[in-house]
Structure formats: C-alpha cells, structure tokens
Amino acid sequence: MLQDVKPDLVIASSTYPLDNYPAFKIAKMANAKYTYEVHDIWPLSPMLIGGYGKWHPFIMVMQWAEDFAYRHVDKVISLLWNAEGHMRERGLQSDKFVCVPNGYFPEEWTADKVDLPLPAEHQHCFNLHKDEIIVGFAGGFAASGAVTTLVKAAVELKDRIGLFFVLVGKGPEQAQYEQIVKEHHLTNVSFLPSVPKKLIPAIIKHFDIAYLGGVHSELHKYGTSYNKMTDYMLSGKPIIQAVDEPGSVVERIKCGVRVEAENVKEVVKAIESLSGLSIEEREKMGLKGKEYVEKNLPWSKLAEDFLKPFV
C-alpha cells in the first residue's frame, strides 16, 4: 500500500495521542515527514476535567504516547498558541512548534451573506431593540460556554436603560437561564432559537457587543481557538471574552476586553465599559478584529501555513 501511495507527510490528528505510534511507523516506512496535530492537550485534559491521577493506567498510557510524539515528530502543529512550554517540558525540541489556529471561508462572509433575511421572530426582536445597545451571544447553551455568567450580569444591569441582552441558540442549559430571568423578573433579556450557520453573520450584525465565555480551566492558559471568536471578529464587534486565557488574541489586538471566567462582576464592568463608548469607538475596536481575521485566518492561508514547515 505504501508503495502505491507514497505520502510525503503523515499527520497524527486524533484527540488522544495513541495514533502517533502508527503515524510514526508509516512515516518511517515511507521516508515521509511526521507531524502531531494537537487540538487538545492529552492526557492533561482528562486529568484536569475528569479528575484522573497521573498514575491511573489510562493516563500513563496516554502520557507515554504524548511523550513519544514530542520526541519523534518533525513538527507539532497546534491550535493552541501558548502550548509550546508544556510540550517542551514533555520532550519537544525548541524549533518544532508551529501554531495554526482555526480559520474561516471568506465566501461565507460576503456582503450578501451578512444581509440574508432572518426569521421573523429574530428580526422582530432586533427591530424592537434597535435603539438600545445589544449585548449578544450566538451559540450553544451548554455549561462549557458559561452563558449563565452573562445572564447573571443581565440581572445586575436590569435597571440600566438602553441596554438589552439577546441570546441566540439552544442547548441543555436554557432552562436554567430562563429560570434566572423568571426569578428576577427580567425584561432586558430575550432568547431566540438557533439559526442555520449561514445566518450567523446576519445575526451578529445586530449585536453591539459580543459575549464569549468559558468555565474556569487551567487548560485555557495554553490558548484557545474558538470558531465563535472568529465569527464575532469578522462581524467587527467588540468582544467580551470571559475566559482564563491571559494574552489572548482579544488582548493582543485590542478588539475587546478579556476578563476572568465566570466572574459576573468583571463581566458587568466590561459591559459598562464598552457600552459607555461611542458607536465610533466600538466600531474602531471591532474593526481591529475584523482586519486581523481577514489578513491571517482564511483557510487558504492557514493551509499554506500548515504545509510551510515541511517544504
């Protein structure tokens, strides 16, 4: 089979690292380059999320595989911009780390896509609150996104005139959000059904401030690459990133504000700060994100970035 295919590059890209063993062997047999593509750090992720100890047999097997990969790869390609230090501690040489984040297809963000008509319920909501500053979230209503923090921030800001919260999506946490709204008699929050992906640009267009959250996690310090972040940036909206990721892209290019995860008071302060800016100031901030993504994150460019270390 290898005589027929003759790969130039072999990529181990599963979440768990055991596929590095056959990837390494195939690369050796084919005289090809071998890379490990890391989207989640294993076995650190199950240790921190699942509570496994380092001497658990499953963790030990995963750790051997991770260490094997870092010792033998030609390059590590990772979504996680700040993960090199961890990898070098596990045996990766200093010149073998390359960060290639998630990206986007420019054809999905043309002007006609941004102006696609929305469902009547969604359009009615945005029309009704067009003269208010809309703090928006679009995505899954799951615990990992810490949208509860945003809803609790809405509680703190319920008496703030000219501020409205719109949450677009669905998921298992929605009942919890709605209970908070009911308990506090909130009139400044609307929940809208999820929409097809092609309508996301047309939804975010109506936000003035975009929210992205996460639960407390040591893993986030190694870097994140949320598709939602890219969507918000492409929309040119200032972002509140409530994620434990010091030095995040939001901080680096100043297209919003990053605060501690699950910290309601900090999210409230960020909302007050951004809503206190003029429309022009918010647009200028959001434009920094849009320009960054358009320059650096088209999939065609990222494909070249991925292959460049092996040429």
Side-chain angles (χ1 to χ4, degrees), residues 5-12 23 26-27 30-36 74-75 77 306-311:
V5 178
K6 294 183 179 179
D8 296 304
L9 174 63
V10 180
I11 305 168
I26 292 169
N31 195 29
K33 298 290 186 180
Y34 151 52
T35 185
Y36 177 26
D74 291 293
K75 295 287 182 182
I77 307 290
F306 191 107
L307 295 174
K308 192 180 301 180
F310 306 100
V311 175

Side-chain angles (χ1 to χ4, degrees), residues 10-193:
V10 180
I11 305 168
S13 189
S14 295
T15 298
Y16 51 85
L18 290 178
D19 60 334
N20 279 282
Y21 293 121
F24 172 73
K25 185 173 182 179
I26 292 169
K28 283 296 244 186
M29 293 172 64
N31 195 29
K33 298 290 186 180
Y34 151 52
T35 185
Y36 177 26
E37 184 183 22
V38 179
H39 7 95
D40 294 294
I41 299 177
W42 272 55
L44 188 60
S45 292
M47 290 172 70
L48 293 176
I49 296 172
Y52 291 91
K54 67 178 182 178
W55 302 118
H56 189 286
F58 170 75
I59 295 300
M60 292 176 68
V61 170
M62 294 298 114
Q63 190 62 74
W64 291 333
E66 182 191 29
D67 293 351
F68 174 88
Y70 294 150
R71 289 198 306 268
H72 292 90
V73 291
D74 291 293
K75 295 287 182 182
V76 164
I77 307 290
S78 181
L79 299 171
L80 311 175
W81 63 272
N82 199 33
E84 183 178 5
H86 165 81
M87 295 173 180
R88 290 182 64 179
E89 289 176 0
R90 305 306 317 181
L92 184 69
Q93 294 181 20
S94 61
D95 60 343
K96 291 189 174 184
F97 176 84
V98 179
C99 177
V100 179
N102 278 317
Y104 81 107
F105 291 109
E107 57 269 27
E108 294 180 352
W109 283 86
T110 54
D112 60 310
K113 301 297 192 301
V114 175
D115 292 327
L116 284 173
L118 294 175
E121 180 181 1
H122 298 67
Q123 192 61 59
H124 175 72
C125 177
F126 290 126
N127 288 344
L128 191 63
H129 300 284
K130 62 183 176 64
D131 294 325
E132 298 174 90
I133 294 174
I134 294 178
V135 181
F137 170 86
F141 295 159
S144 59
V147 182
T148 305
T149 304
L150 181 62
V151 179
K152 290 179 178 179
V155 174
E156 298 297 317
L157 293 164
K158 66 180 180 179
D159 296 323
R160 173 73 179 268
I161 297 173
L163 195 63
F164 196 79
F165 295 78
V166 176
L167 285 68
V168 183
K170 65 178 180 179
E173 297 286 301
Q174 183 166 348
Q176 179 183 338
Y177 310 155
E178 292 175 341
Q179 183 61 33
I180 296 172
V181 169
K182 182 179 179 181
E183 288 177 357
H184 294 274
H185 309 288
L186 299 186
T187 59
N188 62 341
V189 179
S190 278
F191 297 98
L192 296 174

